[in-house]
Amino acid sequence: MIRAQTTRVRALVHSVLLTQQFFVPIALMLLVVEAILTYAIIQRVSYTEIDWQTYMQQVHGVLGGERNYTKLQGDTGPLVYPAGFVWIYSVLCALTNNGTHVRRAQYVFMGIYLATQALVLMIYRRARVPPLVLPLLVVSKRLHSIFVLRLFNDPVAMLFAYAAVLSMTRTSTRRWSGLLLSLGIAVKMNVQLLLPGAAFVWWRTGGLRTTVVQLVVVALSQVVIAAPFVYAFPHEYVARAFEYTRQFNFVWTVNWRFIGDRVFASHEWALILAAAHIALLVALAVVVWPRLSHSTLPTIVRQGFTRRAHSDVSATEVAVVMFSANFVGIVCARSLHYQFYAWYAHMLPLLLVHARLPLVAVPVVWLVIECAWNVFPSTHTSSLALLAAHIVILVGIFRAPTHAKLS
């Protein structure tokens, strides 16, 4: 009798934590908890002004008629974000009485936060991620701060990025993925880190034609969104909005504190990181991504030149390809500032599961990353710990079994 009850309890625990049977009610419960928690944070924790007023000053310049990006400034620096940022924050400016009603802006960002969580949970549901790791999505102190206590533009960009990933998991909505991804890039250029993964998925689903069409959509939509600036001052716009040679301030780096200011600022270090990024992307394309479909890169390339119909690509494959492409860009980033945690925080549970780490190691590695992002200013120890945790995930991704199922 006792043995039978124990067996039933174990079966129930397994069903709740490791299968999709109760995923939806668990996800809905987490969203309700998040709504209550985030509202309480807004009410009880002081807002910290960092870039919001600068954003408003830059937007006011555009609304005043200025189209030269080199002349758009704020208290903390020049405008260095693409035109989508300008239009979205212009709306926020109008909604918040020219940026003075900060509490209202916080509620808007609470909505963005909950919408992002909902999109991520839908991606996880389709990718069959076990509910066991879902609490990791909702307990980040730094992530709540980025969204509702700092009002950075990174969450807005990632909202579009996750919408793009979700659209790619469904055949009926996949055609919109290029546009959604481009909308994210139009807010902040970090979303470009997902483009290599997107190109791979497009090639897998529709071959050369689909890939070219989607890349054209990405490029043309950037021109349309930035039309007033591109028409008036094209060079100035591109040079500022997509400045790949930008020099980052060592004061704010989270990931490379231990290498020292001189190495951090050197051109040689930038080249090493760029080469490492390219090498890791190539390795993903050759080793990791093809085995998700039990194939090889030469076979996938050959099929892409001949395919006319859509190929059946699992949601798990889409999520792993997109998230891993973004992750290697994070690992090799020239600098990670505190708000950049939003670039991949929601991806970590899925990547940790895919890396096939021992169950006890999943929360430990996540906690190391979370703690590193909460040390201010960063230290040699915190940045080394962050790098070590990233390497653990990276090694796990390359060593993961060939099958794509996560649960």
Side-chain angles (χ1 to χ4, degrees), residues 29-45:
M29 181 185 67
L30 289 175
L31 282 175
V32 172
V33 170
E34 272 286 53
I36 297 170
L37 176 62
T38 308
Y39 180 80
I41 290 172
I42 293 173
Q43 298 301 315
R44 296 178 178 274
V45 183

Side-chain angles (χ1 to χ4, degrees), residues 153-176:
N153 62 334
D154 306 78
V156 183
M158 293 310 299
L159 178 67
F160 289 113
Y162 288 117
V165 175
L166 181 62
S167 74
M168 297 178 87
T169 67
R170 301 173 183 268
T171 303
S172 60
T173 57
R174 198 169 287 149
R175 68 174 68 93
W176 300 106

Side-chain angles (χ1 to χ4, degrees), residues 57-69 71-72 86-87 90 228-229 232-233:
Q57 291 162 0
Q58 293 165 348
V59 163
H60 284 147
V62 175
L63 297 178
E66 183 59 67
R67 295 295 181 265
N68 187 337
Y69 249 57
K71 295 183 179 180
L72 293 167
V86 172
W87 309 133
S90 295
F229 307 102
F233 298 95

